[in-house]
Amino acid sequence: MHKYWHFIDIPFSPDRTPTEQPASPNAQTQIALFRRTLASPVATDDVKSYDLSWLLHLVGDIHQPLHATARFTADLPHGDNGGNSEKINCSGCSETTLHWFWDDTPGLGDDADVASAAAHALPPPDPRQVAIRDENVWINESFELARQVVYQAPVGAGAGPFTLTEAYRS
């Protein structure tokens, strides 16, 4: 449901292939809308509860770098759909696309106790980062991580398949 809400395909091209602008609605437009609704004195509690659950989901989504970009190359002139068109080989991975690899990186389990323990093991957050409330900053950070980390070797030009090394996986 609401397929286009989960991402914003900010375009880039390492080989100067022409790019296409992100479709709308997208994660950025919806986060902004939900924030306005939650601040609205006239929105009903039913609407606010719906928008709050989506806001939390989409804020999580845009922190995955491939939810913030599309790479355009000569082999993929209409973009790679946030890595969904990039095939991978990955020993021990269940994923077959670059996007799914990055979606699954935090883990695949659905045990709340395991997730809670993992969260408690994280270092304390940087208060300066926590204070950033502008969704465009979050989106741009994810976009830059995609360009500078996700699309680096062994991920090359085109649709792959790319064999992910242990160094890349870690």
Side-chain angles (χ1 to χ4, degrees):
M1 250 174 101
H2 306 301
K3 177 183 174 184
Y4 299 104
W5 290 9
H6 298 267
F7 59 90
I8 178 168
D9 281 342
I10 300 171
F12 84 100
S13 175
D15 65 4
R16 296 194 171 117
T17 297
T19 62
E20 300 166 6
Q21 290 305 302
S24 185
N26 55 52
Q28 190 283 322
T29 63
Q30 295 311 113
I31 289 171
L33 173 66
F34 296 148
R35 291 175 77 176
R36 286 192 304 273
T37 301
L38 290 169
S40 169
V42 296
T44 66
D45 287 346
D46 287 347
V47 170
K48 286 183 177 186
S49 68
Y50 179 85
D51 285 9
L52 177 60
S53 63
W54 270 106
L55 177 65
L56 294 171
H57 181 105
L58 298 181
V59 167
D61 276 349
I62 63 162
H63 281 82
Q64 197 273 59
L66 290 172
H67 280 251
T69 193
R71 181 174 74 158
F72 292 76
T73 62
D75 291 338
L76 295 167
H78 296 290
D80 73 349
N81 299 303
N84 281 298
S85 299
E86 310 274 353
K87 303 298 181 210
I88 62 166
N89 292 319
C90 181
S91 177
C93 296
S94 61
E95 304 84 7
T96 59
T97 70
L98 188 62
H99 184 98
W100 281 105
F101 172 80
W102 281 88
D103 268 351
D104 292 351
T105 295
L108 296 172
D110 59 4
D111 184 322
D113 291 332
V114 171
S116 180
H120 287 291
L122 292 170
D126 179 340
R128 294 170 298 175
Q129 294 291 319
V130 172
I132 298 172
R133 296 180 180 202
D134 183 347
E135 69 271 7
N136 293 301
V137 172
W138 308 332
I139 291 167
N140 287 329
E141 180 181 60
S142 287
F143 171 72
E144 287 302 324
L145 283 169
R147 286 182 355 109
Q148 296 173 18
V149 176
V150 174
Y151 289 110
Q152 298 304 310
V155 176
F162 305 107
T163 299
L164 302 187
T165 63
E166 277 302 315
Y168 183 91
R169 291 172 64 182
S170 66

